[in-house]
Amino acid sequence: MDNNNTQQPDEFMQAAIAEAKQGRNEGGIPIGSVIVRDGQIVGRGHNRRVQHNDPMAHAEIDCLQNAGRIGNYKGTTLYSTLMPCYLCAGAVVQFGIKKVIVGENKTFPGAEEFMKQHGVEIVNLQNEECMQLMENFIEEKPELWYEDIGE
């Protein structure tokens, strides 16, 4: 089910946005993520590719690593300020995360169809703050952005 509706972010998306801002403030790419189970954040992270000189350190991967071994991911929801790329979508599918709430997909379409084909529900908020974070970053540091998305 796709829900493209411009609603305001809840506390969990606000936490993901805070992670994105932390990444930006560290000189990195402003993408943040949290994973939620039973109404509690069990992991949080942000894109650390620049900070760690690690091409795999995407926000969703950082979030999952920070969550640690939580058993299984049944009933979890992943929040991300940007539509996950194929790397991160692959992790979502691999771990059986069935719901992803996304800040926006206008600046980057990501792997939405891939996740849907694997039974993942996508809720796209089209949040203005998330879009603005990415638009500003892409304008300020296009070479870093294109490196991040592999172009």
Side-chain angles (χ1 to χ4, degrees):
M1 177 181 174
D2 186 24
N3 184 5
N4 290 310
N5 63 10
T6 71
Q7 66 191 53
Q8 286 304 307
D10 64 14
E11 64 182 295
F12 303 123
M13 184 55 72
Q14 288 291 354
I17 291 169
E19 286 290 328
K21 289 177 178 177
Q22 183 178 341
R24 178 197 60 200
N25 293 342
E26 293 171 357
I29 298 162
I31 304 168
S33 183
V34 298
I35 190 161
V36 175
R37 174 186 273 161
D38 299 325
Q40 298 292 318
I41 294 174
V42 295
R44 59 179 70 227
H46 53 274
N47 187 303
R48 296 176 192 255
R49 289 181 63 256
V50 174
Q51 300 92 311
H52 292 183
N53 195 30
D54 180 355
M56 303 298 282
H58 288 213
E60 299 86 348
I61 301 300
D62 186 52
C63 175
L64 290 167
Q65 288 176 325
N66 290 332
R69 295 180 60 218
I70 65 169
N72 67 57
Y73 292 84
K74 289 185 174 103
T76 62
T77 299
L78 182 75
Y79 287 74
S80 182
T81 58
L82 186 65
M83 184 65 70
C85 69
Y86 281 95
L87 171 69
C88 299
V92 165
V93 170
Q94 175 67 33
F95 292 121
I97 298 167
K98 294 298 181 191
K99 186 171 186 177
V100 176
I101 299 180
V102 177
E104 63 104 354
N105 72 344
K106 286 189 175 181
T107 58
F108 181 69
E112 182 172 359
E113 288 306 314
F114 172 80
M115 289 186 287
K116 286 180 179 178
Q117 290 168 356
H118 288 86
V120 178
E121 177 188 357
I122 307 294
V123 177
N124 188 342
L125 303 178
Q126 295 298 25
N127 175 267
E128 190 62 41
E129 186 174 10
C130 292
M131 284 185 258
Q132 204 61 53
L133 274 168
M134 287 310 302
E135 288 170 0
N136 291 345
F137 175 78
I138 293 166
E139 187 177 311
E140 292 166 12
K141 299 183 178 180
E143 69 292 336
L144 195 53
W145 171 241
Y146 291 117
E147 175 189 323
D148 191 61
I149 61 172
E151 289 186 12

